[in-house]
């Protein structure tokens, strides 16, 4: 048991150091540089070196007590910045996945709804072109068949918008939603109902890969949280805008990649291991997942509705 707690403590310390303190130290150093340089000396490295040297020579800093206090303050400020970045990243994740976007506050559903309809129109156009090209490609005479590059371009354009017809205002939200749409269309299965029961029944290796994909998504959105924190320094030091833009671009790329990997693993798990869950629940079924099994599982796991309220109750 002592070894287990020791390993757990080591992992927590590693996480605290790598995710909170180290990025936080860099941010605190940037805050200090921004405060020292300001807009007037934004890129004046000699001035920064001069100010840092003068600060380091102060008696309160050269003493052991002052150094202990300074290091402690830096660690606390760094960890605090890391926690704030994680909190902002959690908000970014909710916005990116757009779960429940119709209940967003401050009139945002109206703007998001307009954007969803715009994405739907673009997707419908690309989808129509792709299917027209597919029909024409079946012409008996090869001379009547169109250039296949046109169909491939339409498919690529449709995929860039969303794999399925958009229902959410973001690509990442639609990417996860596409898994549920496909399973419902192909196997009559409600993933939201089945997944809480399926996840514990997955093989350990696959479950670990899904957990790691989820953790990677959290790290990617935390990077967006750091971008927001750096952008907040722009009023004091304009180069912070450049840092924020680079971090935001990297966060967007990583978030999309992580969402795609996470969604693929969800679909793999559902298609391959739902029959195993059915066997554990006593369903008589052999072979792969079917629409009949998906519908029966969904009905079984959804449970019954609450009884009606008694008259006069």
């Amino acid at each position: 048991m002592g070894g287990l707690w020791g390993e757990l403590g080591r992992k927590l310390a590693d996480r605290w150091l790598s995710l909170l303190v180290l990025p936080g130290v860099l941010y605190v150093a940037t805050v200090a540089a921004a405060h020292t340089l300001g807009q007037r000396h934004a890129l004046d490295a000699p001035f920064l070196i001069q100010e840092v040297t003068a600060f380091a020579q102060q008696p309160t800093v050269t003493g052991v007590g002052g150094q202990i206090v300074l290091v402690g303050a830096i660690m606390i400020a760094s960890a605090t910045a890391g926690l704030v970045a994680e909190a902002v990243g959690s908000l970014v994740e909710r916005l990116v996945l757009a779960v429940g976007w119709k209940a967003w506050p401050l009139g945002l559903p109206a703007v998001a709804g307009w954007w969803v309809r715009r994405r739907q129109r673009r997707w419908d156009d690309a989808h129509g072109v792709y299917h027209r090209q597919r029909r024409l490609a079946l012409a008996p005479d090869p001379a009547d068949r169109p250039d296949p590059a046109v169909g491939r371009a339409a498919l690529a354009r449709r995929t860039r918008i969303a794999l399925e017809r958009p229902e959410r205002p973001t690509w990442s939200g639609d990417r996860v939603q596409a898994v549920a749409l496909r399973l419902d269309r192909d196997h009559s299965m409600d993933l939201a109902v089945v997944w809480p029961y399926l996840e514990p029944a997955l093989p350990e290796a696959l479950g670990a890969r899904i957990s790691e994909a989820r953790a990677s998504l959290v790290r990617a959105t935390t990077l967006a949280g750091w971008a927001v924190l750096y952008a907040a320094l722009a009023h004091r030091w304009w180069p912070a805008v450049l840092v924020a833009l680079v971090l935001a671009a990297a966060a967007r790329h990583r978030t999309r990649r992580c969402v795609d990997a996470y969604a693929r693993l969800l679909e793999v798990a559902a298609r391959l291991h739902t029959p195993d869950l059915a066997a554990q629940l006593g369903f008589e079924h052999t072979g792969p997942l079917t629409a009949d099994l998906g519908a029966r599982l969904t009905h079984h796991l959804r449970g019954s509705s609450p009884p009606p309220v008694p008259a006069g109750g």
Side-chain angles (χ1 to χ4, degrees):
M1 197 65 185
L4 175 62
W5 283 111
E7 180 66 17
L8 179 61
R10 186 184 65 80
K11 289 184 177 180
L12 289 175
D14 290 343
R15 181 184 182 277
W16 181 75
L17 182 65
S18 62
L19 296 184
L20 296 180
V21 176
L22 291 182
V25 167
L26 181 59
Y27 180 74
V28 169
T30 305
V31 170
H35 178 74
T36 302
L37 295 173
Q39 304 291 16
R40 183 177 180 182
H41 300 280
L43 300 177
D44 193 343
F47 178 77
L48 178 62
I49 295 173
Q50 175 185 335
E51 292 297 312
V52 171
T53 302
F55 175 76
Q57 292 175 348
Q58 293 181 8
T60 55
V61 178
T62 56
V64 175
Q67 291 176 356
I68 293 175
V69 172
L70 179 61
V71 171
I74 291 175
M75 297 296 285
I76 293 173
S78 301
T80 301
L83 291 173
V84 172
E86 282 195 341
V88 176
S90 298
L91 177 60
V92 171
E93 181 182 326
R94 290 184 62 85
L95 293 175
V96 165
L97 296 181
V99 178
W101 64 269
K102 294 182 179 179
W104 284 354
L106 305 176
L108 291 177
V111 178
W114 169 82
W115 185 249
V116 169
R117 291 188 293 272
R118 182 178 183 276
R119 296 180 70 236
Q120 287 175 341
R121 289 193 296 269
R122 293 172 56 217
W123 192 92
D124 291 342
D125 291 342
H127 188 63
V129 172
Y130 171 68
H131 277 281
R132 283 195 298 272
Q133 294 299 311
R134 286 193 62 184
R135 288 195 301 269
L136 294 174
L138 300 176
D141 187 353
D144 296 333
R145 298 172 188 171
D147 183 359
V150 178
R152 289 195 297 267
L155 177 61
R157 178 173 166 243
R158 187 188 72 179
T159 303
R160 282 195 301 271
I161 300 168
L163 287 183
E164 297 284 337
R165 194 170 191 266
E167 292 187 358
R168 297 183 185 182
T170 63
W171 183 93
S172 295
D174 277 323
R175 181 64 186 91
V176 176
Q177 179 70 4
V179 179
L181 291 175
R182 289 179 173 186
L183 290 171
D184 181 58
R185 182 176 62 227
D186 298 343
H187 303 296
S188 301
M189 188 178 86
D190 189 333
L191 182 63
V193 172
V194 175
W195 182 254
Y197 302 89
L198 177 61
E199 185 178 14
L202 294 176
E204 183 178 351
L206 181 56
R209 290 186 63 185
I210 293 175
S211 297
E212 176 56 30
R214 191 70 181 81
S216 297
L217 175 58
V218 171
R219 290 193 293 269
T221 53
T222 299
L223 187 62
W226 284 114
V228 173
L229 292 187
Y230 276 96
L233 299 177
H235 75 284
R236 179 69 184 175
W237 188 58
W238 66 260
V241 174
L242 303 180
V243 179
L245 290 176
V246 171
L247 291 178
R252 180 179 182 273
H253 173 74
R254 288 179 56 181
T255 298
R256 284 199 170 198
R257 186 180 62 188
C258 293
V259 166
D260 185 59
Y262 179 63
R264 288 177 186 273
L265 289 171
L266 288 181
E267 190 162 358
V268 166
R271 291 183 184 271
L272 292 183
H273 296 285
T274 298
D276 299 335
L277 173 64
Q280 294 182 35
L281 293 174
F283 283 74
E284 294 183 0
H285 178 82
T286 57
L289 177 62
T290 62
D292 176 67
L293 180 62
R296 287 194 293 152
L297 266 177
T298 299
H299 177 75
H300 177 77
L301 297 176
R302 180 176 283 132
S304 59
S305 301
V309 179

